[in-house]
Amino acid sequence: LSKMNDARIFVEHTLSEEELLLQLVDEDERRTALSFGSARRRREFMMWRHIVRRELGRDTLIAYSETGAPFLPRRAEHIGVSHSADMVAVIISERHCAIDIEDIGRDFSRAASRFMTPDECALGSDPRLQAAVWCAKETLYKYSGKKGLSLTEDLAVTGVDFDNSTISGRIEGSRPIELRMRLLENNLIVYIG
């Protein structure tokens, strides 16, 4: 999709399960992939690994932090991953990073009161606002590296600028954090990195 500073972002349609099974590097990973009951979930799991290893080398080791976030224990690069329908998004950066992807057509209206504050609802009337706030909060949550943060109390979106493809946010009242957004094939991608 793009390169911003030192971050590389990949947004791709998932390959078939058969193609992806050939890309897995060890039997434990194959067993993990096949343990998912959903074919879609299996493909997502394998696809983001395929992208990371295609870009960084087939022998790239992938592990999980205490909070469940993937990381590369033997490399300096940081990664972030997300998926939506048949798309997978991966960010690879020399700095801490995070990414989220959502179908822009998803109906967020029923859940909006659980993730948007009145101040966030007042940020504008653009029909993409709810999707942008959701993606931004998912990205901030991943970026925080913490579990159990409240979407309405600990994570805040303070500005959404669709013209400049930026979002401003905060984690637990921290300094402002700038997020970037892109629209690709009816998917909104929001990232920090």
Side-chain angles (χ1 to χ4, degrees):
L1 175 66
S2 69
K3 182 169 182 165
M4 181 178 171
N5 299 329
D6 59 348
R8 294 182 292 154
I9 297 167
F10 306 89
V11 180
E12 302 178 21
H13 290 277
T14 55
L15 300 174
S16 73
E17 189 168 331
E18 295 76 23
E19 291 172 287
L20 290 166
L21 280 169
L22 296 173
Q23 305 299 321
L24 296 179
V25 296
D26 67 35
E27 197 54 40
D28 286 340
E29 202 166 63
R30 182 182 307 273
R31 274 193 298 277
T32 299
L34 294 174
S35 73
F36 294 114
S38 160
R40 179 179 143 196
R41 180 68 184 103
R42 286 191 298 271
R43 288 193 324 273
E44 292 165 353
F45 174 86
M46 292 186 285
M47 185 65 188
W48 73 259
R49 284 167 171 69
H50 165 67
I51 294 169
V52 168
R53 292 191 174 120
R54 181 190 68 210
E55 297 302 316
L56 300 177
R58 187 159 169 79
D59 62 342
T60 301
L61 180 64
I62 299 168
Y64 289 92
S65 71
E66 294 174 0
T67 61
F71 73 99
L72 310 174
R74 296 183 187 157
R75 300 191 62 104
E77 293 94 342
H78 299 266
I79 61 170
V81 300
S82 186
H83 39 77
S84 175
D86 70 338
M87 301 288 280
V88 171
V90 174
I91 184 170
I92 301 172
S93 178
E94 293 176 11
R95 296 183 300 214
H96 186 54
C97 59
I99 194 165
D100 193 58
I101 182 172
E102 289 291 338
D103 184 320
I104 201 76
R106 179 177 165 190
D107 182 6
F108 290 92
S109 61
R110 290 191 336 208
S113 65
R114 292 191 301 273
F115 71 88
M116 290 182 76
T117 66
D119 287 344
E120 291 163 342
C121 291
L123 290 173
S125 59
D126 191 295
R128 301 169 293 180
L129 180 64
Q130 290 178 340
V133 171
W134 174 262
C135 281
K137 289 196 174 189
E138 285 284 306
T139 303
L140 289 166
Y141 191 94
K142 294 173 187 178
Y143 189 75
S144 77
K146 297 179 179 180
K147 281 188 171 182
L149 294 179
S150 166
L151 294 176
T152 56
E153 294 175 23
D154 299 321
L155 304 173
V157 172
T158 56
V160 177
D161 186 339
F162 288 104
D163 293 333
N164 291 310
S165 301
T166 59
I167 300 174
S168 300
R170 292 180 187 270
I171 301 167
E172 297 182 303
S174 70
R175 63 172 177 72
I177 298 170
E178 182 179 282
L179 300 90
R180 304 289 301 170
M181 68 178 146
R182 298 281 184 265
L183 189 61
L184 178 69
E185 294 184 31
N186 209 43
N187 287 279
L188 182 66
I189 300 105
V190 175
Y191 58 94
I192 303 169

